[in-house]
């Protein structure tokens, strides 16, 4: 019946199979072809792919096999066992119908007694349907065992599979009352804090609460060569957000997004800090300023000088512009390249200006800033008093003054740095300003917009004349730095630039 036919092979191995590699299946298939007197045909191989309804990936060679059969290119399909082909009843029935309609035989060669089925014969079809039901049932039983095992280990407080960044694991002796789905005894495991990695998490939490953008923190970790949790790829702002929102850092075991066991291992983040992070990172309307979908630096972040509504990025006759789109105005328009270049230059100069720190100070000082300024003033006053006293006939000696200055100078430098940090807008904390200026164009558009918006209210005034010469930096003259009552035009005129 089958002698002289051609047999095609479909080989599949899921990640959980033992000693059933696709190479081994092919060797047995070729031996079976020789014993049966058929010619080996085309091979279709899907290694490491599941065939259950819980599979997350399509099987490319299985789809190719179906197309091969639909093209009437196959006479017989050989499989190690029915479960190699499919574990879903609906698609298994489709496969049987297709083979029946195309006159394709199905050969199962992995058992001690290989069998060739003809799906056109009702008895063979019934047997194959029973095999399909058994294959699907096996998946459901295995899934139930796995789920029960996961629930059990979660309620026992055992850590989940992937190791949480900031921790390491210590394994002990095998347990008598806990086994894996494959029947192996689980080992006692403790999840303990990795001191060096925990410092990274604590700093991320501190900087996030201080307002440092998540992507900026990711850039710093990448620049410092800190490996990610998986050891592959680069840090991203979204990765940091997910870490800081993970209840595992409070020592809790989470399953399906819910805490099932509290205090299962030592906590890195205390409840108060975790609560502040959640309130900040989950607030409605919060955006990831490293969002790659953000394209235009000042669209929606710059005001029209005529109506004081935000301008938008538009393409007018193929020319990219910033333009007021409010129907009652439509009074402001400029080439995007001109505006972006001017604003970039002005903001970068501001970032490098040491005298700009005072303007960055919030209108209402925090208690911490007031305390830091008082401490700095007291240290500087003490040094001035010593210098003045040393100039008097009965004052301290030069040696005493030098020793006092050596003691006070580090304290003054430390207090001065603290004041500068607290005067800096939260969004700029954690930045190296020189690096920000040097690599400005490398930062994501959304992050640059966040920096600009935190420093200034940018206003684009209407052009005073038309034509190619319509652009001038004075069209930004009504803009102003936050914390400064003067406009940019006031500052420029004071410098004689009018």
């Amino acid at each position: 019946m089958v002698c002289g036919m051609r047999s095609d092979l479909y080989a599949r191995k899921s990640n959980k199979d033992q000693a059933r590699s696709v190479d081994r299946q092919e060797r047995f298939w070729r031996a079976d072809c020789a014993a049966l007197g058929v010619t080996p045909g085309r091979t279709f191989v899907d290694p490491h792919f599941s065939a259950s309804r819980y599979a997350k990936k399509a099987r490319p060679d299985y789809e190719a096999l179906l197309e091969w059969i639909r093209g009437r290119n196959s006479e017989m399909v050989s499989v190690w066992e029915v479960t190699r082909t499919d574990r879903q009843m609906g698609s298994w029935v489709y496969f049987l119908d297709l083979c029946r309609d195309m006159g394709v035989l199905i050969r199962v060669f992995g058992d001690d007694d290989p069998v060739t089925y003809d799906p056109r014969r009702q008895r063979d079809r019934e047997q194959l349907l029973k095999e399909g039901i058994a294959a699907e049932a096996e998946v459901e039983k295995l899934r139930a065992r796995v789920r029960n095992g996961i629930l059990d280990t979660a309620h026992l407080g055992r850590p989940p599979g992937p190791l949480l960044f900031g921790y390491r694991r210590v394994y002990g002796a095998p347990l008598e009352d806990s086994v894996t789905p494959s029947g192996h005894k689980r080992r006692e495991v403790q999840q303990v804090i990795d001191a060096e990695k925990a410092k990274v998490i604590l700093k991320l939490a501190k900087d996030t609460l201080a307002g440092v953008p998540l992507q900026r923190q990711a850039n710093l970790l990448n620049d410092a060569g800190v490996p990610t949790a998986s050891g592959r790829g680069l840090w991203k702002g979204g990765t940091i957000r997910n870490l800081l929102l993970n209840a595992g850092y409070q020592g809790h075991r989470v399953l399906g997004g819910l805490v099932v066991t509290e205090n299962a291992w030592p906590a890195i983040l205390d409840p108060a800090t975790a609560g502040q992070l959640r309130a900040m990172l989950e607030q409605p309307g919060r955006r990831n300023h490293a969002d790659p979908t953000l394209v235009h630096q000042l669209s929606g972040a710059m005001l029209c000088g005529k109506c004081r509504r935000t301008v938008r990025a538009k393409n007018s006759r193929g020319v990219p512009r910033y333009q007021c789109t409010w129907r009652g105005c439509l009074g402001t328009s400029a080439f995007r390249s001109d505006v972006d270049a001017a604003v970039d230059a002005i903001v970068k100069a501001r970032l490098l200006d040491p005298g700009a720190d005072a303007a960055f100070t919030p209108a209402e000082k925090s208690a911490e800033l007031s305390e830091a300024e008082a401490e700095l003033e007291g240290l500087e006053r003490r040094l001035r008093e010593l210098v003045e006293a040393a100039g008097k006939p009965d004052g301290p000696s030069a040696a005493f003054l030098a020793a006092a200055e050596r003691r006070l100078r580090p304290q003054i430098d430390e207090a001065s740095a603290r004041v500068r940090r607290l005067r800096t807008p939260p969004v700029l904390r954690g930045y190296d300003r020189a690096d920000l200026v040097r690599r400005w164009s490398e930062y994501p558009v959304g992050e640059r917009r966040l920096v600009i918006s935190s420093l200034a209210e940018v206003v684009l005034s209407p052009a005073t004349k038309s034509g190619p010469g319509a652009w001038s930096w004075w069209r930004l003259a009504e803009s102003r730095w936050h914390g400064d009552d003067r406009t940019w035009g006031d500052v420029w005129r004071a410098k004689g630039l009018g």
Side-chain angles (χ1 to χ4, degrees), residues 163-278:
L163 178 62
L164 194 60
F165 183 87
Y167 289 93
R168 59 185 178 85
R169 289 183 185 162
V170 179
Y171 292 91
L175 300 172
E176 294 296 330
D177 59 347
S178 183
V179 297
T180 66
S182 60
H184 295 89
K185 290 183 179 180
R186 289 191 174 91
R187 297 170 63 189
E188 182 183 356
V189 59
Q190 288 183 312
Q191 186 155 279
V192 298
I193 294 175
D194 184 316
E196 291 304 313
K197 292 182 178 179
K199 289 179 183 177
V200 175
I201 296 298
L202 290 170
K203 187 175 189 310
L204 292 175
K206 179 181 177 182
D207 289 349
T208 299
L209 292 175
V212 181
L214 297 179
Q215 187 58 41
R216 169 57 183 165
Q217 298 180 60
N219 293 343
L220 291 173
L221 290 175
N222 293 328
D223 291 345
V226 177
T228 60
S230 66
R232 301 184 300 273
L234 297 175
W235 287 92
K236 298 179 181 178
T239 304
I240 295 175
R241 180 182 185 277
N242 293 338
L243 283 179
L244 296 179
L245 289 176
N246 193 325
Y249 288 111
Q250 296 174 257
H252 303 330
R253 176 64 160 93
V254 178
L255 182 64
L258 300 175
V259 174
V260 295
T261 305
E262 295 185 348
N263 305 316
W265 49 79
I268 293 177
L269 299 178
D270 61 82
T273 300
Q276 291 174 332
L277 288 168
R278 187 166 295 279

Side-chain angles (χ1 to χ4, degrees), residues 7-26:
S7 170
D8 301 316
L9 170 70
Y10 178 71
R12 183 185 66 82
K13 175 186 178 296
S14 72
N15 292 326
K16 298 182 183 298
D17 284 337
Q18 301 294 326
R20 296 178 183 174
S21 71
V22 290
D23 290 339
R24 183 168 183 260
Q25 293 177 46
E26 183 174 349

Side-chain angles (χ1 to χ4, degrees), residues 323-373:
Q323 184 173 327
C324 177
T325 57
W326 186 56
R327 291 183 179 277
C329 180
L330 302 175
T332 303
S333 177
F335 294 147
R336 287 207 303 265
S337 57
D338 290 336
V339 179
D340 285 342
V343 172
D344 285 352
I346 294 169
V347 169
K348 287 192 284 187
R350 183 69 164 182
L351 289 168
L352 293 178
D353 182 5
D357 281 353
F360 293 156
T361 306
E364 295 184 5
K365 296 181 182 179
S366 66
E368 188 179 7
L369 175 56
S370 299
E371 180 185 339
E373 289 178 335

Side-chain angles (χ1 to χ4, degrees), residues 425-447:
V427 73
L428 292 181
R429 294 175 191 169
Y431 281 98
D432 178 332
R433 294 191 194 181
D435 177 76
L436 183 60
V437 171
R438 183 173 61 254
R439 296 167 50 189
W440 179 257
S441 61
E442 299 177 22
Y443 282 80
V445 172
E447 195 167 349

